Amino acid sequence: AQKITQTQPGMFVQEKEAVTLDCTYDTSDQSYGLFWYKQPSSGEMIFLIYQGSYDEQNATEGRYSLNFQKARKSANLVISASQLGDSAMYFCAMREGWDNQGGKLIFGQGTELSVKP
Amino acid sequence: DGGITQSPKYLFRKEGQNVTLSCEQNLNHDAMYWYRQDPGQGLRLIYYSQIVNDFQKGDIAEGYSVSREKKESFPLTVTSAQKNPTAFYLCASSPDYNEQFFGPGTRLTVL
């Protein structure tokens, strides 16, 4: 069974508008972490934001925020004021358990975001 | 500058050959990881290592081997047993099993 689901293969957004990228996850662990990474066409993976399962507040990092709804098992990424440089693939990932499991990440299939001028 | 380096950036291999991808980090991180990415797909874990001289299989370890003789190095060998090795390979490291820092990747093509 897929543990990380990103249902939007591709998204378009107008420059300066906000956009939400969807991510749902499946785990029976109480302790887990959720991550978002950006992958530009060059291929490197850039860390954007992290949410721990016990964090009560939604994580924010500059223009990025994570809309964490634990009961729904969703961890959507919100990008405010989109910029042309935001055009890239975006991956949601989950770490199950804690350090006794090595910190392995499970990735979703990704969403390709295109920002229109 | 601290970071993760992978070499080479592009690698071409003939069928039946073994090739080794290099991954080096000077971040003093204990944990290191190898992922494979196929076109239009997410990353899948090949192997990971939490400490020197120890490593574990990930989800798709068949046809791959690794070693961890030094903290800063985690080379990946793609053996001839890997049936479909053409892919983008990413190495990562982590100080605390949370955020992972990625290298620039190696694109392997089998001719």
Side-chain angles (χ1 to χ4, degrees):
Chain A
Q2 201 158 355
K3 295 210 170 187
I4 295 284
T5 303
Q6 294 181 251
T7 57
Q8 307 152 313
M11 290 275 289
F12 289 92
V13 65
Q14 204 67 37
E15 193 179 7
K16 299 181 185 176
E17 291 185 351
V19 63
T20 298
L21 306 184
D22 294 341
C23 173
T24 57
Y25 61 92
D26 182 28
T27 182
S28 55
D29 281 358
Q30 296 301 307
S31 174
Y32 53 89
L34 296 156
F35 303 78
W36 277 93
Y37 283 87
K38 172 184 177 181
Q39 187 179 43
S41 57
S42 55
E44 78 266 30
M45 297 287 283
I46 302 167
F47 167 76
L48 296 178
I49 197 165
Y50 165 77
Q51 179 87 39
S53 57
Y54 294 116
D55 295 340
E56 294 184 353
Q57 302 245 353
N58 285 345
T60 61
E61 290 285 350
R63 294 186 299 111
Y64 305 106
S65 60
L66 200 153
N67 185 0
F68 182 44
Q69 298 190 40
K70 199 169 182 176
R72 291 186 170 187
K73 293 189 175 178
S74 76
N76 298 340
L77 176 71
V78 180
I79 305 175
S80 63
S82 297
Q83 302 172 356
L84 296 178
D86 294 335
S87 294
M89 283 290 288
Y90 288 81
F91 291 97
C92 179
M94 177 174 66
R95 170 192 48 74
E96 289 185 299
W98 200 237
D99 56 5
N100 61 340
Q101 292 179 279
K104 297 175 290 180
L105 291 181
I106 303 164
F107 284 82
Q109 300 284 79
T111 295
E112 184 169 10
L113 178 66
S114 299
V115 180
K116 296 181 179 178
Chain B
D1 280 7
I4 302 176
T5 57
Q6 291 186 243
S7 61
K9 188 172 182 179
Y10 298 96
L11 186 57
F12 298 90
R13 183 194 103 171
K14 292 183 181 179
E15 282 194 33
Q17 283 183 335
N18 292 356
V19 288
T20 297
L21 283 58
S22 168
C23 177
E24 304 275 331
Q25 53 101 357
N26 61 4
L27 302 167
N28 200 34
H29 290 171
D30 284 319
M32 295 188 75
Y33 310 82
W34 272 106
Y35 294 91
R36 168 182 172 141
Q37 185 179 29
D38 292 289
Q41 303 293 314
L43 281 63
R44 293 183 291 168
L45 182 67
I46 305 173
Y47 268 97
Y48 66 103
S49 168
Q50 295 176 262
I51 56 172
V52 174
N53 293 322
D54 187 48
F55 48 83
Q56 286 79 39
K57 292 181 179 180
D59 299 321
I60 55 166
E62 185 176 350
Y64 299 97
S65 65
V66 293
S67 63
R68 187 86 188 276
E69 297 176 2
K70 299 185 294 183
K71 188 175 185 177
E72 58 269 24
S73 179
F74 191 41
L76 173 75
T77 297
V78 184
T79 74
S80 56
Q82 170 49 237
K83 299 303 179 193
N84 187 20
T86 294
F88 186 49
Y89 291 86
L90 285 154
C91 177
S93 70
S94 176
D96 58 4
Y97 310 108
N98 243 351
E99 179 186 345
Q100 292 185 14
F101 297 82
F102 283 82
T106 293
R107 292 193 185 275
L108 173 64
T109 303
V110 173
L111 302 173

